[in-house]
Amino acid sequence: MTLTLRSSTSFINLKDTKSFKTADEVVGSICYAQIKPTFSLVAKSSVQASHVLEHHSLIKVGSLAEKWEKLHPLSGPHDGSNSSKVPVFVMLPLDTVTHGGNLNKPRAMNASLMALKSAGVEGVMVDAWWGLVEKDGPLRYNWEGYAELVQMVKHHGLKIQVVMSFHQCGGNVGDSCSIPLPPWVLEEISKDPDLVYTDRSGRRNPEYISLGCDSMPVLRGRTPIQVYSDFMRSFRDRFSDDLGDVIVQEVQVGMGPCGELRYPSYPEGNGAWRFPGIGEFQSEEAGNPDWGIDGPQDSGEYNQFPEDTGFFRREGTWNTEYGQFFLEWYSSILLQHGENILEAAEGIFQGTGAKLSGKVAGIHWHYKTRSHAAELTAGYYNTRNRDGYLPIAQMFAKHGVVLNFTCMEMRDGEQPENAGCSPEGLVQQVKMATQAAGTELAGENALERYDPAAYGQVLATSTSASGSGLSAFTYLRLNKRLFEEENWRHMVEFVRNMSEGGKNRELAESDTQGSDLYIGFVNEKNIEKTKEILLV
């Protein structure tokens, strides 16, 4: 079932649905219902507000001026009275902006934002793809699709997190579309394939420019760090009026594949890796002539297990003088890469009112082993004998950057026994590292989950003895499934519970209990008669 919204007046006459089907938006057509919806969302305050919705001003979408309605904020989540509340954001689809630079399905997006506002979410997150914005040539930026989205988000009283996505979209878990790096960048890579990461088998990875090129003018006279800086500066200038207002919670700075500060040690796009393989080191030169120019020769292949290798096994090379040297070097240049980008971002966004964040991957498989092999190949020097996340958290803290971490919804008992997984242990370690470093921790779910168990795990993670354990949580992701009856109910419950400091309470289906928020569902017979709204 899809979502319908109750309004004080019908949005659009059903007979007029044909007007939606323009040449470029047939897929995004929406039919608004004039009869009773599948559910109603009701807000109650101490003064017993009589309306959830009020008529609002016109907003122009495409070439049509259509009437939309602005929802009153729900009591509780945004009143600032609860210091332990965790604001919830929702990730927008990866293809929110088209290859042509336009906002994709604006009518559907507008209705979706209205629904999210009704649920009490703080805002949304969107990827600002390098491959789209600077597609037409160096220093030629097209922000128009994002500008339309920002204004739509602002109209609904929401906030927006924007990710500076300097990586390719496609080839990883959850990637539903393909957005390569800018064509002019791919041209430079074709001339010099060493601009991207290469594994020991000679396979090139076009997801992200290798950190070895950070200070080299390989992109038509500019270094990658200069290119990223120019991109962020262009974003800052284009959205100067919205930074600190609509764009306030986070501007997330991409630092590697999937936007995460890591090496592409477990690539899925080319079929080289599959879960729960240990991955492979992505750098060959160890930097010490006494030990040769190659990295570890006994570290195995992508899909092996730690005990299959000489390097990662229980008493393996990882814990020798050479292994410690290599791992220190391998992780330190990744940290320096992050430092270079965050230092540039700090200078660009200083004084804008926008909070910066960076993302660290939740590599939870083989966490229970001594070597933590999968984390090591990704560049996180975290073993049973060493805390690899504290140096990362300290680097983030140095620049006032929020550390955004994934796999918040996972439990140890849900993982395959042979993979040595411990997402709960990993999240707890990162939580402690950020507290010790004095930087904020924000969270995401790694996989699309709609069940109470996943939400419950996030709720448990979001709390701490001193109040909130997370500065924000971003839910992955906005799609049709989210708006199915039970899924939507769980989402609304989750948002409310996060606003109340992690209290896990179910919403009532009626207002007989005097709750601040409840959801009522009509019977199946009426549902069948109801016209559906296509939201995404």
Side-chain angles (χ1 to χ4, degrees):
M1 179 191 308
T2 53
L3 175 71
T4 63
L5 297 173
R6 172 180 292 171
S7 68
S8 56
T9 59
S10 62
F11 289 160
I12 293 178
N13 192 306
L14 292 177
K15 295 180 180 179
D16 293 334
T17 54
K18 62 182 180 180
S19 64
F20 293 134
K21 299 182 180 180
T22 59
D24 59 345
E25 287 191 67
V26 174
V27 178
S29 63
I30 307 174
C31 181
Y32 290 99
Q34 290 180 291
I35 59 179
K36 289 185 179 181
T38 55
F39 76 84
S40 60
L41 184 65
V42 180
K44 295 175 65 180
S45 67
S46 58
V47 295
Q48 292 296 310
S50 59
H51 298 285
V52 177
L53 304 174
E54 65 176 353
H55 190 271
H56 198 259
S57 58
L58 299 180
I59 180 172
K60 189 173 183 180
V61 181
S63 60
L64 300 176
E66 301 173 352
K67 291 183 179 181
W68 301 102
E69 300 185 350
K70 186 177 182 180
L71 294 127
H72 286 294
L74 298 168
S75 61
H78 309 298
D79 60 10
S81 61
N82 188 351
S83 61
S84 63
K85 76 171 186 176
V86 181
V88 175
F89 291 75
V90 176
M91 295 185 200
L92 296 181
L94 294 169
D95 60 351
T96 291
V97 172
T98 69
H99 283 273
N102 302 311
L103 182 60
N104 197 10
K105 302 180 183 177
R107 298 172 183 80
M109 179 59 65
N110 196 77
S112 296
L113 294 178
M114 182 182 292
L116 293 177
K117 178 64 176 179
S118 77
V121 304
E122 186 80 5
V124 294
M125 172 184 275
V126 68
D127 289 276
W129 296 106
W130 182 26
L132 296 182
V133 176
E134 202 175 357
K135 181 182 67 172
D136 296 332
L139 300 171
R140 296 176 61 186
Y141 306 104
N142 178 5
W143 294 106
E144 296 317 300
Y146 294 98
E148 186 178 354
L149 174 65
V150 168
Q151 290 308 305
M152 191 178 288
V153 168
K154 184 176 183 179
H155 171 79
H156 288 288
L158 295 167
K159 305 297 184 184
I160 187 168
Q161 299 171 327
V162 184
V163 184
M164 304 287 100
S165 295
F166 301 118
H167 61 285
Q168 165 190 287
C169 176
N172 287 292
V173 173
D175 286 354
S176 56
C177 64
S178 176
I179 304 174
L181 301 185
W184 61 273
V185 174
L186 295 179
E187 288 181 17
E188 298 305 312
I189 294 173
S190 67
K191 297 174 186 175
D192 183 4
D194 289 336
L195 298 187
V196 296
Y197 289 103
T198 307
D199 65 17
R200 65 181 58 196
S201 299
R203 284 176 290 223
R204 308 286 185 177
N205 190 321
E207 287 184 74
Y208 188 76
I209 300 295
S210 169
L211 58 77
C213 301
D214 276 358
S215 59
M216 302 170 61
V218 294
L219 298 178
R220 300 196 180 179
R222 292 185 294 163
T223 69
I225 300 297
Q226 288 174 331
V227 170
Y228 304 151
S229 298
D230 289 338
F231 183 95
M232 291 187 287
R233 194 173 294 109
S234 173
F235 171 78
R236 179 202 65 189
D237 295 344
R238 178 62 179 81
F239 296 96
S240 58
D241 292 339
D242 300 303
L243 287 166
D245 180 19
V246 185
I247 309 170
V248 64
Q249 184 68 28
E250 290 180 26
V251 173
Q252 190 175 115
V253 184
M255 293 179 283
C258 293
E260 299 165 335
L261 178 64
R262 65 172 175 86
Y263 293 99
S265 58
Y266 50 100
E268 291 186 292
N270 59 12
W273 175 87
R274 63 182 180 274
F275 178 84
I278 58 176
E280 289 187 10
F281 291 116
Q282 298 296 301
S283 178
E284 295 179 355
E285 187 170 334
N288 190 321
D290 295 334
W291 285 325
I293 62 172
D294 291 335
Q297 298 299 304
D298 57 350
S299 58
E301 299 177 351
Y302 282 114
N303 296 307
Q304 288 186 296
F305 277 52
E307 292 303 314
D308 297 333
T309 73
F311 192 87
F312 296 116
R313 66 189 180 191
R314 184 182 177 89
E315 302 296 339
T317 312
W318 64 273
N319 204 26
T320 65
E321 185 180 4
Y322 166 69
Q324 292 168 2
F325 159 78
F326 175 81
L327 292 171
E328 181 67 41
W329 170 82
Y330 186 68
S331 63
S332 68
I333 60 174
L334 179 66
L335 272 175
Q336 186 59 53
H337 171 68
E339 175 98 31
N340 293 340
I341 296 179
L342 293 183
E343 185 175 30
E346 182 185 19
I348 291 167
F349 290 102
Q350 189 171 20
T352 63
K355 185 182 293 186
L356 294 178
S357 73
K359 192 173 180 181
V360 175
I363 304 175
H364 57 85
W365 52 103
H366 303 302
Y367 183 85
K368 292 181 179 179
T369 64
R370 288 175 176 264
S371 66
H372 292 235
E375 293 163 85
L376 297 185
T377 57
Y380 306 152
Y381 188 4
N382 188 56
T383 67
R384 180 163 297 187
N385 308 325
R386 186 181 189 276
D387 185 349
Y389 297 100
L390 182 58
I392 298 174
Q394 290 171 332
M395 187 264 287
F396 277 51
K398 176 181 176 181
H399 299 286
V401 176
V402 178
L403 193 156
N404 192 295
F405 198 69
T406 61
C407 74
M408 292 283 177
E409 84 287 9
M410 294 183 174
R411 299 185 182 188
D412 291 2
E414 299 170 339
Q415 313 306 317
E417 189 172 341
N418 68 334
C421 298
S422 182
E424 294 181 62
L426 175 59
V427 168
Q428 184 61 26
Q429 181 182 354
V430 172
K431 198 172 180 179
M432 293 176 64
T434 54
Q435 290 173 350
T439 192
E440 293 181 72
L441 176 66
E444 296 179 2
N445 50 310
L447 303 174
E448 291 184 7
R449 295 278 296 272
Y450 309 94
D451 56 290
Y455 286 129
Q457 184 62 23
V458 175
L459 287 169
T461 303
S462 70
T463 60
S464 70
S466 59
S468 173
L470 299 178
S471 62
F473 179 80
T474 305
Y475 176 80
L476 181 156
R477 163 179 325 268
L478 181 72
N479 57 29
K480 292 179 181 179
R481 288 195 63 192
L482 178 61
F483 294 115
E484 293 174 2
E485 181 177 305
E486 284 302 307
N487 293 345
W488 183 245
R489 177 183 175 83
H490 295 320
M491 178 66 177
V492 175
E493 289 174 349
F494 170 70
V495 173
R496 175 190 171 137
N497 290 334
M498 291 288 273
S499 76
E500 297 184 349
K503 296 177 182 178
N504 198 346
R505 296 194 291 131
E506 290 188 3
L507 293 177
E509 293 195 13
S510 70
D511 62 352
T512 57
Q513 300 176 1
S515 59
D516 293 330
L517 181 66
Y518 71 88
I519 300 178
F521 294 99
V522 299
N523 61 40
E524 197 66 30
K525 182 177 180 181
N526 287 336
I527 290 173
E528 292 176 358
K529 296 179 180 178
T530 303
K531 296 290 184 180
E532 296 179 336
I533 301 176
L534 176 62
L535 290 177
V536 288

